[in-house]
Amino acid sequence: MIAPSHLLDAVVATASGLWYSQVQTTVTDPYLDEVFHVGQARAYCEGRWHHWDNKITTPPGLYIVSYLAHVATRRPCNLAFLRLLNLLVNLLGIPFVSWRIQLILRDGRHVRGGKPRSQRSKGEGQSWSRQASQGAGYTASTIALFPVLFFFSALHYTDVMSTFTVLAAYWIQLCWNRQPDLRDEGPIAATMKGLAVVLTGLVSLSFRQTNIFWAAGFLGGLRLVERLNEYSASDDSVSGWAERPSLRELCQAGWSSSLLYDPAAADAYLEDYLKSVVSIVVVALRNIRGVILAMLPYLGLVSVFGIFVVWNGGVVLGDKSNHIATMHLPQMLYLWPYIAFFSWPLLWPSVGDALFGRHWPRIGVVALMIPLMLVAVHLNTVVHPFTLADNRHYVFYVFRWILLRGRFARYLAVPVYFVCAWLVVAALGRSDHDLSSARGGLTSSSASSFETLQQQQRGQPPRAIHVTHETAGGRGNQKPPPNKDPHPKSLKPTRDETPSSSSTFSSRRYSNSY
């Protein structure tokens, strides 16, 4: 019997082949920016390394790959060959790397509440491997079929290979940071890890300068939170929070015990984001030496990028007058309808909750966010001339038919931004709900350990605490098994059971209640 994941692979392959064939038949000449990319790639294939089209804004990574493929295959650098490179990367490279990333993230060692691999029986291990592989395959195929990315898979653009290099950098970091035999690293392993981070980041930057936010910002943020969670997990007196702490309690616990505040999505409110930021800062300052050492590769990558910007006189290589970095806050608002449009099947449960009155945003959040969005739209809306210059861009119609239709159209779109943001955040929280409810004793131990910390700060001896255990099947007041040791160990989870910060950060637990 053919596995469903294999059928989905066949769908991806068939769709890719049909799309490539259709583009080749219909669009026989370079399309939009292909005029610049194809010409530059051909120049490199012909050995004209000093030729550069001043209209090109991105680094030459795409053209170097085209040259290497030309040398390896001895195929001419015509339009069909250059387009085929992106098709193969989107068909083979991106799904494979995405699949490997998902396998690591789904591993019970790094997902909250999962059973460590060493504790699984043979049958459980085989069942988990099969389910994880299929689930990872679904996700990988979904990424390859993502409409915006899939569209460029049959064109000679930078989008596909840029995405592939970012995913590859993420995969390499996960391999280094997540494997148990690499966690206790020596100087040589640490140096190799740092070089791997810098090199993969530079490769990613050779396709798109904006990848600095992914290679240094996103991956650096993962590493920072992972490192801070390691400090938090190393303290035997505390393993979590019993309730939402005040800023004072949060700072005290962070400074005295390196306890990081990281609430679950289903439990978080808007103010918890501020508290999380404050908690990260406090714990980082308490462990500043280790944090700096962990962040050196990413700081080095940012330094290299900064030197390039100074030397180049800007972020882009060519056409600098039309590509000037400016503040554009409404673009953060456009993000939410974009995600909602391409993820609408995932939003239906939240829509149902709203329609039946089971769940709504808090009034205070609405009263705060709507005016802020209106101010951003009024003071900082930027419409680039290129947006309205070519009707072959989808955003041309968004601005022409909607946002610029009347004097107040852009303001009337603000409630849409808010609703889309709420629905997306609710969907993200819902996706983690089952994971949160399956964490077992982590929640209960958090309650007891935080109360223990408060008693120690007040100078009181810790008292016995009746623990309420949560299970995947529901909640109940079940007594823990008897402990023969008169001095029971801390309720802190073991290293294998410790929640991974990277998996928490990468599927960040946004509030589904705001």
Side-chain angles (χ1 to χ4, degrees):
M1 182 177 180
I2 301 177
S5 59
H6 293 164
L7 290 176
L8 192 55
D9 293 339
V11 170
V12 174
T14 303
S16 299
L18 291 175
W19 174 238
Y20 177 79
S21 176
Q22 186 68 21
V23 171
Q24 281 298 105
T25 303
T26 307
V27 188
T28 56
D29 296 320
Y31 178 75
L32 286 177
D33 287 355
E34 274 192 326
V35 173
F36 311 114
H37 296 311
V38 171
Q40 187 62 44
R42 286 173 175 170
Y44 276 24
C45 290
E46 295 169 1
R48 293 185 286 123
W49 296 98
H50 296 288
H51 170 79
W52 185 260
D53 190 331
N54 287 326
K55 288 295 183 180
I56 295 177
T57 61
T58 52
L62 177 65
Y63 321 122
I64 294 175
V65 170
S66 302
Y67 168 77
L68 294 176
H70 161 70
V71 171
T73 62
R74 298 186 179 181
R75 301 278 296 178
C77 283
N78 54 32
L79 185 60
F81 174 77
L82 295 174
R83 287 175 172 176
L84 183 62
L85 297 179
N86 271 344
L87 181 77
L88 293 176
V89 171
N90 194 62
L91 181 61
L92 302 175
I94 287 180
F96 174 76
V97 173
S98 301
W99 176 67
R100 297 300 302 178
I101 290 173
Q102 282 294 309
L103 285 180
I104 295 176
L105 294 180
R106 291 168 185 267
D107 193 319
R109 292 194 314 269
H110 316 300
V111 178
R112 294 192 178 194
K115 182 182 293 187
R117 181 182 299 174
S118 60
Q119 297 181 12
R120 302 180 190 135
S121 65
K122 183 177 180 180
E124 289 176 334
Q126 292 176 347
S127 176
W128 177 89
S129 298
R130 182 168 54 254
Q131 294 176 3
S133 182
Q134 289 183 358
Y138 294 147
T139 301
S141 298
T142 302
I143 293 174
L145 290 174
F146 179 61
V148 178
L149 187 64
F150 185 78
F151 175 85
F152 288 104
S153 66
L155 299 174
H156 193 61
Y157 266 63
T158 59
D159 301 67
V160 173
M161 293 194 184
S162 173
T163 303
F164 172 72
T165 55
V166 169
L167 290 172
Y170 184 27
W171 177 37
I172 291 173
Q173 173 162 312
L174 288 177
C175 290
W176 275 105
N177 291 344
R178 301 297 192 85
Q179 298 302 322
D181 55 334
L182 294 177
R183 294 187 69 89
D184 299 325
E185 58 193 30
I188 297 179
T191 302
M192 292 180 62
K193 179 191 296 185
L195 290 176
V197 169
V198 173
L199 290 177
T200 54
L202 290 176
V203 170
S204 177
L205 289 173
S206 71
F207 291 92
R208 284 277 183 90
Q209 297 95 318
T210 50
N211 284 343
I212 188 65
F213 295 104
W214 295 106
F218 173 69
L219 297 182
L222 292 181
R223 180 62 186 133
L224 172 63
V225 177
E226 183 175 66
R227 186 61 175 153
L228 296 181
N229 265 313
E230 290 172 0
Y231 288 121
S232 181
S234 66
D235 192 317
D236 288 339
S237 64
V238 178
S239 63
W241 301 92
E243 54 189 18
R244 286 185 177 85
S246 64
L247 279 177
R248 178 184 177 185
E249 292 173 333
L250 184 147
C251 293
Q252 288 177 342
W255 189 259
S256 63
S257 305
S258 294
L259 180 60
L260 196 63
Y261 185 64
D262 184 21
D267 304 325
Y269 289 97
L270 184 63
E271 56 269 24
D272 289 321
Y273 295 107
L274 173 62
K275 292 181 179 180
S276 295
V277 172
V278 172
S279 178
I280 289 174
V281 173
V282 171
V283 178
L285 289 175
R286 184 182 187 271
N287 305 279
I288 188 65
R289 182 177 178 275
V291 168
I292 292 177
L293 290 176
M295 298 304 294
L296 277 179
Y298 310 97
L299 296 175
L301 192 59
V302 171
S303 300
V304 172
F305 182 75
I307 293 172
F308 160 77
V309 172
V310 173
W311 169 80
N312 184 56
V315 176
V316 298
L317 290 179
D319 202 15
K320 292 184 173 67
S321 61
N322 287 316
H323 296 82
I324 301 174
T326 58
M327 181 68 71
H328 190 197
L329 295 177
Q331 190 160 348
M332 298 295 98
L333 305 181
Y334 305 152
L335 170 70
W336 302 111
Y338 173 84
I339 296 176
F341 178 80
F342 289 109
S343 307
W344 61 267
L346 303 177
L347 308 183
W348 279 115
S350 299
V351 173
D353 288 345
L355 291 177
F356 290 100
R358 289 193 295 263
H359 184 68
W360 287 89
R362 290 184 295 165
I363 298 299
V365 174
V366 177
L368 173 66
M369 298 306 299
I370 293 294
L372 290 178
M373 291 180 176
L374 288 171
V375 171
V377 168
H378 180 71
L379 298 179
N380 197 224
T381 295
V382 178
V383 184
H384 196 281
F386 287 1
T387 301
L388 304 177
D390 197 329
N391 63 1
R392 291 175 293 181
H393 293 99
Y394 288 116
V395 291
F396 169 88
Y397 299 98
V398 172
F399 277 88
R400 203 57 191 275
W401 291 354
I402 301 176
L403 297 181
L404 299 181
R405 189 142 185 112
R407 182 178 179 182
F408 300 101
R410 68 181 66 178
Y411 304 107
L412 295 176
V414 166
V416 177
Y417 302 149
F418 180 84
V419 170
C420 289
W422 175 72
L423 290 174
V424 171
V425 165
L428 290 172
R430 184 184 298 274
S431 67
D432 278 342
H433 176 70
D434 293 337
L435 195 58
S436 300
S437 62
R439 280 182 290 172
L442 280 176
T443 302
S444 56
S445 64
S446 300
S448 59
S449 57
F450 181 55
E451 186 170 347
T452 300
L453 174 64
Q454 291 179 316
Q455 292 169 353
Q456 291 175 348
Q457 292 174 344
R458 293 192 297 263
Q460 300 174 358
R463 63 180 177 85
I465 300 173
H466 178 67
V467 178
T468 299
H469 288 265
E470 290 183 8
T471 64
R475 299 182 180 182
N477 293 328
Q478 304 171 4
K479 294 183 179 180
N483 193 334
K484 297 180 180 180
D485 189 350
H487 304 287
K489 296 180 180 179
S490 167
L491 291 173
K492 180 185 72 65
T494 63
R495 172 64 66 184
D496 283 339
E497 294 169 336
T498 301
S500 168
S501 60
S502 294
S503 59
T504 303
F505 196 93
S506 59
S507 59
R508 186 64 188 152
R509 296 173 169 247
Y510 296 96
S511 165
N512 65 357
S513 57
Y514 265 28

